[in-house]
């Protein structure tokens, strides 16, 4: 897993990244992927956004995160969730006991994992008939604002690439996901939902700087922030811009 890519981004990530639609949580409950007595391991939990939502469904949740900055933010964010424990661990080495987990989740994180090692770790920690849930909030690349935002990313963010370019994952052809579930000997289902947000200027800026590829200093950072402000102003109505996401979830039992 890429433990250091989100250094010093915890606060921005927590403030500006979206949570996941209620329809997703309802589906996982209704299909008995997560039950009130379930123990869930949320891998690559980041600042705990999905872990907090999972706490409403499950008996207990382990928020597993290797990055210290993100983990510290998760401790703060999840303080009120008494059934969530934040632990230092990675997708490939969670530190959890063997055959102790009913459901493994990875929200906005699977694309950073070593897929083969993560598969073996899932097999080790999951109980028989345990479930795996992979979920992303993906910006709608057909939206004019997102297209222009990506154009700025290509200019100012040297590490920028779409999720598909970096990981092999594509909404149109999610082959890496199918290969992963195949390695577990599991079939999977796919759920696609709209998850649109409205951002004010500060949150719009934070959303962009929460990305792993965003510049962290110097002229590149200053130029990027100036260009983002101009982009916001060109699209804003009543002080906000509509920022469309699509939630993609893949889930199945092994």
């Amino acid at each position: 897993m890429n433990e250091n890519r989100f250094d010093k981004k915890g606060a921005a990530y927590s403030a500006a990244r979206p949570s996941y639609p209620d329809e997703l949580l309802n589906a996982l409950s209704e299909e008995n992927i997560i039950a009130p007595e379930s123990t869930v391991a949320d891998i690559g939990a980041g600042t705990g956004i999905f872990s907090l939502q999972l706490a409403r469904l499950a008996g207990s949740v382990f928020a597993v995160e290797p990055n210290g900055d993100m983990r510290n933010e998760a401790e703060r964010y999840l303080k009120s969730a008494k059934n969530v424990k934040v632990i230092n661990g990675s997708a490939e080495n969670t530190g959890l006991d063997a055959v102790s987990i009913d459901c493994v989740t990875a929200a906005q994180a699977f694309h950073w994992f070593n897929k083969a090692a993560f598969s073996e770790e899932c097999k080790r920690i999951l109980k028989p008939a345990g479930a795996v849930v992979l979920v992303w909030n993906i910006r709608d690349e057909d939206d004019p604002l997102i297209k222009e935002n990506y154009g700025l990313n290509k200019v100012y963010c040297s590490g920028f690439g779409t999720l598909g370019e970096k990981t092999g994952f594509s909404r149109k052809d999610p082959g890496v996901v199918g290969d992963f579930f195949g390695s577990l000997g599991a079939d999977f289902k796919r759920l696609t939902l709209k998850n649109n947000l409205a951002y004010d200027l500060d949150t719009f800026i934070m959303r962009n700087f929460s990305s792993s590829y965003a510049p962290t200093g110097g002229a590149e950072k200053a130029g990027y922030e100036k260009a983002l402000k101009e982009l916001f102003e060109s699209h804003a109505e009543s002080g906000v811009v509509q920022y469309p996401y699509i939630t993609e979830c893949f889930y199945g039992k092994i």
Side-chain angles (χ1 to χ4, degrees):
M1 190 173 170
N2 296 263
E3 287 88 351
N4 300 318
R5 294 188 68 96
F6 289 92
D7 286 349
K8 300 181 180 180
K9 295 181 181 289
Y13 199 105
S14 181
R17 290 297 183 106
S19 59
Y20 299 87
D22 288 341
E23 295 94 325
L24 169 61
L25 281 299
N26 292 341
L28 296 177
S29 176
E30 290 168 2
E31 299 203 27
N32 200 34
I33 298 298
I34 300 174
E37 66 274 12
S38 294
T39 299
V40 177
D42 188 25
I43 312 299
T47 63
I49 292 171
F50 195 46
S51 300
L52 185 61
Q53 293 183 276
L54 291 169
R56 305 201 316 255
L57 295 184
S60 60
V61 178
F62 290 100
V64 182
E65 173 54 44
N67 182 278
D69 185 48
M70 302 289 270
R71 197 168 57 250
N72 289 339
E73 188 65 24
E75 293 276 10
R76 182 198 65 78
Y77 185 77
L78 296 167
K79 188 175 182 180
S80 64
K82 303 305 182 185
N83 61 336
V84 180
K85 183 177 182 179
V86 180
I87 65 172
N88 182 7
S90 68
E92 302 82 9
N93 184 16
T94 63
L96 297 169
D97 291 339
V99 199
S100 64
I101 300 299
D102 296 292
C103 181
V104 167
T105 64
Q108 215 71 23
F110 174 77
H111 49 284
W112 298 118
F113 300 167
N114 178 310
K115 311 302 187 295
F118 178 51
S119 175
E120 291 305 311
E121 185 68 348
C122 287
K123 293 174 186 176
R124 186 186 73 82
I125 65 176
L126 279 170
K127 298 176 184 178
V132 177
V133 177
L134 307 178
V135 60
W136 286 268
N137 278 319
I138 301 171
R139 288 171 283 189
D140 183 354
E141 296 180 18
D142 293 326
D143 181 81
L145 172 62
I146 302 301
K147 288 181 179 179
E148 291 181 54
N149 200 158
Y150 278 17
L152 295 182
N153 295 349
K154 290 176 181 178
V155 172
Y156 293 99
C157 308
S158 57
F160 175 72
T162 66
L163 187 60
E165 290 170 345
K166 283 192 170 298
T167 68
F169 175 86
S170 164
R171 291 190 60 243
K172 296 179 180 178
D173 182 21
V176 67
V177 171
D179 292 343
F180 171 74
F181 278 99
S183 74
L184 295 174
D187 294 325
F188 66 92
K189 294 182 180 180
R190 180 177 185 174
L191 181 63
T192 302
L193 299 164
K194 289 186 177 181
N195 190 23
N196 296 340
L197 295 186
Y199 284 153
D200 63 16
L201 175 60
D202 288 343
T203 312
F204 178 73
I205 297 294
M206 281 193 290
R207 168 61 188 90
N208 280 279
F209 277 102
S210 75
S211 296
S212 62
Y213 50 76
T216 57
E220 189 179 46
K221 180 178 185 293
Y224 186 44
E225 185 168 358
K226 180 176 182 293
L228 288 170
K229 288 179 179 178
E230 292 172 352
L231 175 61
F232 178 90
E233 289 166 1
S234 70
H235 285 268
E237 295 183 6
S238 301
V240 299
V241 293
Q242 301 303 313
Y243 206 79
Y245 286 93
I246 298 169
T247 298
E248 289 279 13
C249 181
F250 303 83
Y251 59 97
K253 292 190 175 183
I254 66 171

